[in-house]
């Protein structure tokens, strides 16, 4: 695959410095970071339980063959990430998160129904609530801009634009910058999914990629299987294209209900599926690999294409990146869409699709619609991926998000009703809350907005306006006294309803 991509020995060494294969990335990680990740893995898996003492510095140093200073640095890092806490003269202990007493939501299993989609007015009213910079952005769809290396990206843009080959500006219009597609293909190769550069089409963010995919495989009036709850933009796209939704329930931990999907595919003329298999928005659910494999086999059986929205894939908290359904697709039915907006460059609007058997049709449709994504933005990101230390940035970003998740979960436990149910995703930056059934999330949204707090009410995530007592909160912003005060205010409003 490296030969197919035209990678020289020097380029492989150069790439290993930034967009490196997982083994190379691990080699570049400092020793204390590796050790911290090992302990974090034991905590997430439950081997080290809440309240349990982690190995003493002396014991860890002797057992793992690392210096005492390495252990101390690792434990300081785990403290910063909110995973352990130091107790005077006692050592380090796994943090006892009060929120563990809160149960997870239970998405009710139901038969899929065909639904006309009409949610845009409701969605627009919610989105308008987060325009004020003084509003607490719990309803935002993006993490905080300060978490991204924007000054370093600006230097990459200046360098890349200065050295840009004028001929490539025209030659790469519809499929996108060859340099950027090559870097993306290399990252697919790292994940165990070698694919040709020619399968990739660069788009104006992931949303354009998703739109193009849907238009390639559907006509107005067709049925499309989506998640319930679903990312509200998917509902707006269906509404605009005059497509009908078939809602498939999603479990907050396990992802899409394959039994309901199988029944729906057998009964209904579904033309496409639009799912998120990793850190699903809004639930944060991730499918296990065996379920992803089963989903790919089910779609192959019915020859139904999958539009896989995987924009949060890089924001995982575990040691290894989760594989997409695309990794188990042997027939080219999966169109894998992603973006740099959530992991590197919000505002640059650079996404892509690995289009499988539909790649040529997607490229032609791109040519007929928006022609090209921003050439300078593509050049900047390609340069950054090659020279900027993307994996180093991602590690810092993941650690920040995990710490912020712990802070928000603890605040939910402190301030919200005891009957509140909340998800605990292993990546991304959203929590889904199921409040007591008498709570009207739309009314809560209005009352919170009046107090300068935004949130995303459950009904905007459903074609049938379901989830009326649910809401999505964004923990993608640094946790401050203002954040804590906003959660206290939300809790007080909820208790008053």
């Amino acid at each position: 695959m490296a030969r197919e991509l035209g990678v020289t020995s020097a380029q492989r060494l150069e790439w290993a410095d930034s967009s490196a294969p997982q083994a190379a990335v691990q080699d570049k990680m400092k020793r204390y970071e590796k050790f911290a990740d090992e302990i974090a893995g034991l905590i997430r898996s439950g081997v080290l339980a809440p309240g349990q003492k982690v190995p003493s510095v002396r014991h860890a140093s002797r057992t793992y063959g690392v210096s005492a200073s390495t252990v101390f640095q690792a434990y300081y890092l785990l403290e910063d990430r909110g995973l352990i806490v130091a107790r005077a003269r006692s050592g380090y202990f796994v943090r006892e998160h009060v929120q563990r007493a809160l149960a997870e939501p239970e998405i009710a299993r139901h038969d899929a129904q065909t639904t006309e989609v009409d949610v845009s007015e409701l969605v627009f009213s919610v989105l308008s609530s987060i325009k004020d910079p003084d509003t607490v952005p719990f309803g935002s769809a993006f993490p905080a801009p300060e978490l991204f290396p924007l000054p370093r990206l600006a230097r990459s843009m200046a360098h890349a634009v200065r050295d840009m080959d004028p001929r490539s500006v025209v030659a790469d219009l519809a499929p996108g910058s060859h340099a950027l597609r090559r870097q993306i293909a290399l990252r697919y190769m790292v994940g165990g999914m070698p694919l040709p550069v020619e399968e990739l089409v660069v788009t104006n963010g992931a949303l354009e990629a998703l739109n193009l995919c849907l238009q390639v495989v559907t006509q107005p009036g067709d049925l499309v299987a989506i998640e319930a709850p679903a990312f509200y933009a998917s509902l707006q796209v269906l509404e605009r294209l005059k497509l009908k939704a078939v809602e498939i329930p999603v479990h907050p931990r396990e992802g899409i209900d394959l039994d309901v999907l199988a029944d729906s595919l057998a009964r209904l003329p579904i033309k496409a599926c639009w799912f998120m298999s990793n850190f699903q928005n809004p639930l944060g659910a991730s499918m296990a690999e065996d379920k992803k494999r089963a989903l790919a086999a089910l779609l192959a059986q019915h020859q139904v294409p999958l539009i896989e929205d995987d924009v949060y894939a890089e924001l995982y908290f575990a040691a290894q990146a989760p594989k997409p359904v695309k990794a188990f697709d042997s027939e080219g039915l999966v169109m894998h869409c992603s973006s740099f907006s959530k992991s590197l460059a919000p505002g640059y609007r650079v996404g892509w699709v690995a289009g499988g058997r539909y790649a040529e049709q997607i490229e032609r449709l791109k040519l007929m619609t928006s022609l090209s994504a921003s050439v300078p933005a593509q050049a900047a990101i390609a340069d950054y991926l090659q020279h900027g230390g993307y994996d180093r940035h991602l590690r810092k970003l993941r650690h920040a998000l995990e710490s912020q998740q712990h802070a928000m979960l603890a605040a939910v436990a402190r301030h919200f009703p005891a009957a509140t149910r909340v998800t605990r995703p292993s990546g991304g930056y959203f929590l889904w809350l199921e409040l007591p059934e008498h709570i009207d999330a739309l009314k809560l949204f209005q009352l919170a907005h009046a107090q300068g707090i935004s949130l995303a009410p459950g009904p905007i995530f459903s074609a049938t306006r379901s989830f009326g007592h649910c809401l999505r909160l964004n923990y993608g912003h640094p946790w401050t006294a203002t954040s804590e005060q906003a959660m206290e205010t939300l809790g007080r409003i909820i208790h008053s309803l």
Side-chain angles (χ1 to χ4, degrees):
M1 182 62 187
R3 188 179 296 110
E4 180 181 342
L5 291 169
V7 184
T8 66
S9 298
Q11 287 170 326
R12 282 197 294 273
L13 288 173
E14 177 182 62
W15 185 62
D17 189 51
S18 56
S19 301
Q22 190 67 29
V25 173
Q26 293 294 326
D27 288 343
K28 283 185 64 61
M29 289 175 66
K30 294 178 180 177
R31 206 165 189 181
Y32 76 89
E33 292 177 315
K34 292 183 185 179
F35 180 60
D37 278 351
E38 286 185 38
I39 299 299
L42 295 175
I43 293 171
R44 293 191 196 97
S45 65
V47 173
L48 288 173
Q52 184 175 344
K53 187 175 182 179
V54 301
S56 69
V57 173
R58 180 181 299 175
H59 178 74
S61 176
R62 184 170 58 249
T63 302
Y64 290 91
V66 295
S67 68
S69 64
T70 295
V71 178
F72 271 120
Q73 285 181 293
Y75 285 177
Y76 295 153
L77 179 59
L78 290 169
E79 274 191 292
D80 290 341
R81 289 160 65 179
L83 293 176
I84 65 174
V85 61
R87 295 179 186 169
R89 296 184 296 279
S90 298
Y92 289 91
F93 293 78
V94 178
R95 184 181 290 275
E96 291 191 76
H97 295 295
V98 182
Q99 74 271 7
R100 288 184 180 273
L102 295 177
E104 286 186 315
E106 293 183 357
I107 303 301
R109 191 174 186 275
H110 58 79
D111 293 331
Q113 296 180 343
T114 302
T115 311
E116 299 279 356
V117 184
D118 180 17
V119 298
S120 284
E121 285 304 317
L122 179 58
V123 171
F124 288 138
S125 69
V126 172
L127 294 180
S128 66
S129 72
I130 60 175
K131 291 181 179 179
D132 185 346
D134 294 327
T135 297
V136 180
F138 291 157
S140 171
F142 293 92
E146 55 263 38
L147 295 177
F148 299 96
L150 300 182
R152 179 62 182 83
L153 273 168
R155 294 198 298 274
S156 281
M157 179 173 285
H159 175 264
V161 171
R162 184 176 61 246
D163 297 339
M164 187 180 295
D165 180 353
R167 292 168 297 182
S168 69
V169 174
V170 176
D172 294 337
L173 276 181
S177 157
H178 186 272
L180 177 58
R181 288 185 293 136
R182 175 179 167 274
Q183 288 294 325
I184 294 170
L186 286 168
R187 294 193 73 83
Y188 273 107
M189 184 174 69
V190 169
M193 291 188 295
L195 52 79
V197 170
E198 291 71 29
E199 188 178 333
L200 296 168
V201 178
V202 179
T203 59
N204 294 298
L207 191 56
E208 186 188 38
L210 295 158
N211 270 270
L212 291 172
C213 292
L214 201 57
Q215 291 176 78
V216 161
V217 296
T218 65
Q219 297 292 329
D222 282 348
L223 304 185
V224 178
I226 62 168
E227 296 155 327
F231 176 38
Y232 53 73
S234 68
L235 301 175
Q236 291 180 294
V237 172
L238 265 62
E239 182 178 343
R240 182 179 65 83
L241 297 177
K242 295 180 171 52
L243 299 165
K244 296 179 181 179
V246 179
E247 292 193 326
I248 310 296
V250 179
H251 186 278
R253 226 177 325 103
E254 300 171 4
I256 202 80
D257 190 321
L258 289 185
D259 291 336
V260 175
L261 177 61
D263 176 70
S264 301
L265 290 171
R267 291 188 301 107
L268 301 170
I270 292 172
K271 298 300 182 183
C273 299
W274 179 340
F275 300 149
M276 302 179 77
S277 64
N278 296 312
F279 317 126
Q280 189 257 5
N281 180 2
L283 284 176
S286 294
M287 298 176 68
E289 281 196 9
D290 59 339
K291 285 195 68 174
K292 291 174 181 174
R293 188 178 286 104
L295 173 57
L298 179 63
L299 296 173
Q301 175 188 339
H302 291 274
Q303 287 297 291
V304 172
L306 170 63
I307 301 163
E308 186 173 16
D309 183 352
D310 204 19
V311 294
Y312 306 104
E314 296 279 20
L315 306 183
Y316 56 91
F317 300 156
Q320 298 291 330
K323 291 183 178 180
V325 178
K326 176 78 173 175
F328 308 102
D329 172 35
S330 60
E331 302 198 18
L333 283 166
V334 178
M335 293 165 274
H336 184 252
C337 304
S338 195
S339 165
F340 294 104
S341 295
K342 308 299 191 296
S343 62
L344 176 65
Y348 278 51
R349 302 306 303 148
V350 175
W352 74 89
V353 53
R357 66 169 71 169
Y358 307 100
E360 184 177 356
Q361 294 170 264
I362 293 168
E363 181 181 336
R364 289 181 176 180
L365 187 57
K366 168 72 177 171
L367 190 63
M368 290 189 292
T369 51
S370 60
L371 189 62
S372 172
S374 166
V375 172
Q378 292 183 70
I381 292 177
D383 182 88
Y384 181 87
L385 292 179
Q386 188 169 2
H387 304 295
Y390 186 36
D391 288 289
R392 189 164 55 249
H393 154 69
L394 287 173
R395 287 198 299 276
K396 291 174 60 178
L397 176 60
R398 292 173 196 135
H399 295 165
L401 293 176
E402 186 173 27
S403 176
Q404 289 158 203
Q405 184 198 89
H406 292 320
M408 179 172 274
L409 282 167
V412 170
R414 280 193 294 272
H415 304 302
F416 285 36
T420 302
R421 293 174 174 266
V422 60
T423 55
R424 288 184 287 277
S426 57
Y429 49 88
F430 296 122
L431 295 183
W432 178 261
L433 287 82
E434 188 179 285
L435 302 173
E437 289 192 10
H438 71 277
I439 302 297
D440 183 340
L442 290 174
K443 184 175 181 180
L444 173 62
F445 159 74
Q446 294 168 344
L447 294 172
H449 186 216
Q451 296 293 319
I453 304 167
S454 72
L455 56 85
I460 71 171
F461 300 99
S462 171
T464 56
R465 307 287 181 96
S466 302
F467 312 107
H469 62 297
C470 300
L471 60 111
R472 188 197 71 185
L473 297 180
N474 179 328
Y475 58 82
H477 294 251
W479 199 258
T480 64
T482 300
S483 310
E484 185 69 32
Q485 185 177 5
M487 292 295 286
E488 183 179 357
T489 300
L490 276 180
R492 190 166 59 249
I493 295 172
I494 294 168
H495 280 291
S496 71
L497 293 175

